[in-house]
């Protein structure tokens, strides 16, 4: 039997090249080998303040970019997280099985807390909802970028804890991290992750919706160094290392192979090659986006996805409730 893979993206803002290389592309490539299930994580969005209209637009965009990237609804299940209410129910149960000490150690929580912004309880417990997202579907594999690995490890711990306490119930999921491109960095500050809600650093972020000219300009203005050698050295040349990663990931080659293509090449020429490959990919995505936006069947995709996923989720929640003594039937 094919292994079951699950992953999702929060429709918090416009998708970035980081989301594409670290998540969307690996989802699409996985379709050959795995039973692929991909969702739009709208419940995770409301853990931070969000404008409802913006959320709705972003949600449609994520779906259109899933399709434009090559996710095929005939082969893979694509669904909206909130269309399966059992996930939120199981999320509460999972939060009761997760020690606060583990949640306090989550780096995404610590980073946001350090900014001094006011955080919601939902943001604090979001990794426990993510646990439910994964285990309710008995997923074997969870492809994620480097930043989400810790949350998948928390999901593994919680599933193991449940199995030990209440009997063998959940499959223990494995995180899958892409060999190249699991953490694309900002083009302006290559020590910082390229993030879709980074409003201050927009110049360092290539959005999938960016006009090709704008995207090209962002790559050509990427911060580099004065060493003048195209080499993968994250510590001393983080900007060049990031551009090499983007190039290698999109070309489907190793970093070594990418480096070999740019021996004795000047930074300007190297950046142009990176911009070309990014713009080719964006052009393909824009064409797909427009085609699916006009197709008018996007609602059906989500409906069919939820119809296929919900019965399994309901059965799993029943099993959990029985195992815990929550169910009198
Ligand atoms: N820069 C990145 N490089 C590689 N992978 C990335 N991912 C995100 N940014 C990069 C991966 O994309 C998937 C979806 O992420 P998400 O939207 O659920 O959450 P996130 O990791 O918090 O992504 P962002 O873009 O940083 O969103 P905001 O700014 O809203 O917090 C995940 O697999 C993630 O690893």
């Amino acid at each position: 039997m094919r292994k079951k893979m699950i992953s999702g993206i929060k429709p918090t803002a416009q998708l970035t090249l980081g989301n594409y290389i670290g998540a969307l592309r690996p989802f699409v490539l996985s379709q050959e080998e795995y039973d692929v299930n991909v969702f739009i994580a709208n419940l995770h969005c409301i853990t931070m303040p969000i404008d409802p209209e913006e959320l709705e637009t972003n949600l449609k965009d994520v779906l259109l970019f899933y399709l434009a990237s090559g996710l095929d609804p005939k082969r893979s299940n694509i669904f909206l997280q909130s269309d399966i209410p059992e996930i939120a129910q199981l999320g509460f149960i999972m939060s009761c099985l997760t020690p606060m000490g583990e949640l306090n150690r989550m780096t995404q929580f610590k980073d946001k807390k350090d900014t001094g912004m006011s955080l919601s309880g939902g943001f604090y417990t979001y990794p426990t909802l993510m646990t439910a997202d994964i285990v309710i579907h008995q997923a074997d594999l969870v492809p994620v970028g480097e930043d989400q690995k810790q949350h998948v490890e928390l999901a593994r711990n919680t599933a193991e804890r449940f199995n030990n306490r209440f009997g063998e119930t959940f499959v223990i999921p494995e995180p899958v991290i892409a060999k190249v491109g699991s953490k694309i960095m900002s083009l302006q500050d290559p020590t910082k992750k390229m993030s879709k809600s980074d409003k201050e650093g927009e110049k360092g972020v290539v959005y999938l919706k960016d006009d090709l000219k704008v995207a090209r300009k962002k790559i050509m203005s990427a911060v580099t160094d004065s060493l003048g050698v195209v080499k993968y050295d994250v510590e001393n040349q983080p900007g060049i290392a990031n551009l090499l990663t983007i190039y290698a990931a999109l070309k489907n080659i190793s970093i070594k192979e990418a480096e070999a293509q740019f021996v004795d090449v000047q930074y300007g020429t190297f950046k142009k090659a990176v911009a070309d490959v990014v713009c080719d990919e964006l052009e393909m995505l824009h064409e797909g986006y427009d085609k699916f936006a006009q197709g008018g069947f996007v609602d059906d995709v989500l409906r069919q996805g939820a119809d296929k996923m919900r019965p399994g989720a309901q059965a799993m929640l029943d099993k959990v409730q029985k195992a815990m003594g929550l169910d009198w039937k």
Side-chain angles (χ1 to χ4, degrees), residues 110-180:
K110 284 201 289 191
D111 290 350
K112 277 272 187 319
K113 196 173 105 211
D114 289 348
T115 64
M117 68 198 290
S118 142
L119 297 175
S120 69
F123 183 80
Y124 180 61
T125 54
Y126 125 70
T128 64
L129 181 60
M130 182 164 161
T131 300
D133 284 325
I134 299 167
V135 299
I136 202 164
H137 305 295
Q138 300 288 58
D140 304 287
L141 304 171
V142 189
V144 281
E146 194 63 48
D147 58 315
Q148 291 288 348
K149 189 170 168 225
Q150 201 188 23
H151 292 157
V152 182
E153 271 153 14
L154 181 127
R156 282 173 64 83
N157 291 344
T158 316
E160 272 167 5
R161 195 172 297 124
F162 188 99
N163 288 354
N164 290 336
R165 226 180 266 175
F166 302 105
E168 213 51 42
T169 306
F170 294 121
V171 168
I172 308 300
E174 293 274 347
V176 183
I177 311 287
K179 280 198 192 81
V180 180

Side-chain angles (χ1 to χ4, degrees), residues 187 215-222 267-269 271-273 275:
L187 299 172
R216 182 172 290 279
K217 195 166 166 208
K218 286 180 180 172
I219 305 262
M220 294 308 290
S221 326
Y267 283 176
T269 313
K271 281 181 169 177
K272 186 179 171 302

Side-chain angles (χ1 to χ4, degrees), residues 10 12 18-19 22 145 147-148 182 184 193-197:
K10 290 181 294 192
T12 34
N19 296 129
D147 58 315
Q148 291 288 348
S182 63
I184 302 299
K193 188 183 90 157
M194 185 183 282
S195 264
K196 55 177 133 58
S197 27

Side-chain angles (χ1 to χ4, degrees), residues 60-308:
K60 282 187 189 138
D61 275 355
V62 173
L63 177 58
L64 290 170
F65 277 118
Y66 275 164
L67 298 169
S69 305
L71 270 177
D72 176 0
K74 291 201 187 79
R75 282 203 285 176
S76 305
N77 293 318
I78 306 174
F79 62 98
L80 186 64
Q81 185 185 29
S82 61
D83 279 346
I84 305 191
E86 290 75 16
I87 295 173
Q89 271 176 276
L90 184 63
F92 176 72
I93 295 174
M94 295 290 107
S95 73
C96 297
L97 289 166
T98 310
M100 280 172 72
E102 280 191 27
L103 293 174
N104 290 338
R105 280 199 293 277
M106 294 298 107
T107 47
Q108 276 203 351
F109 168 68
K110 284 201 289 191
D111 290 350
K112 277 272 187 319
K113 196 173 105 211
D114 289 348
T115 64
M117 68 198 290
S118 142
L119 297 175
S120 69
F123 183 80
Y124 180 61
T125 54
Y126 125 70
T128 64
L129 181 60
M130 182 164 161
T131 300
D133 284 325
I134 299 167
V135 299
I136 202 164
H137 305 295
Q138 300 288 58
D140 304 287
L141 304 171
V142 189
V144 281
E146 194 63 48
D147 58 315
Q148 291 288 348
K149 189 170 168 225
Q150 201 188 23
H151 292 157
V152 182
E153 271 153 14
L154 181 127
R156 282 173 64 83
N157 291 344
T158 316
E160 272 167 5
R161 195 172 297 124
F162 188 99
N163 288 354
N164 290 336
R165 226 180 266 175
F166 302 105
E168 213 51 42
T169 306
F170 294 121
V171 168
I172 308 300
E174 293 274 347
V176 183
I177 311 287
K179 280 198 192 81
V180 180
S182 63
K183 193 166 184 184
I184 302 299
M185 311 307 271
S186 157
L187 299 172
Q188 287 301 313
D189 178 359
T191 60
K192 207 172 89 184
K193 188 183 90 157
M194 185 183 282
S195 264
K196 55 177 133 58
S197 27
D198 182 4
K199 292 276 175 265
E200 282 161 32
E202 282 188 352
K203 276 208 229 143
V205 179
V206 174
Y207 297 100
L208 298 187
K209 271 193 156 172
D210 271 349
D211 178 81
L212 300 190
K213 273 196 198 132
V214 173
R216 182 172 290 279
K217 195 166 166 208
K218 286 180 180 172
I219 305 262
M220 294 308 290
S221 326
V223 165
T224 53
D225 52 69
S226 54
L227 297 175
V229 193
V230 180
K231 198 164 159 256
Y232 188 80
D233 177 349
V234 177
E235 207 165 303
N236 299 308
Q237 298 184 260
I240 291 292
N242 190 36
L243 292 172
L244 267 172
T245 304
I246 293 171
Y247 183 84
L250 294 178
K251 284 275 195 187
N252 247 339
I253 57 176
S254 68
I255 299 275
K256 281 255 158 298
E257 287 168 314
E259 260 181 345
Q261 292 184 17
F262 299 105
V263 177
D264 294 332
V265 168
Q266 298 207 329
Y267 283 176
T269 313
F270 167 56
K271 281 181 169 177
K272 186 179 171 302
V274 179
D276 285 346
V277 75
V278 169
C279 287
D280 284 352
E281 206 77 11
L282 291 186
E283 196 170 17
M284 178 275 290
L285 288 171
H286 293 175
E287 278 169 20
Y289 180 101
D290 291 343
K291 184 181 96 186
F292 290 110
Q294 284 155 20
F297 65 90
V298 288
D299 294 347
D300 295 342
V301 171
L302 293 184
R303 206 169 305 119
Q304 282 161 15
D307 286 349
K308 278 200 248 160

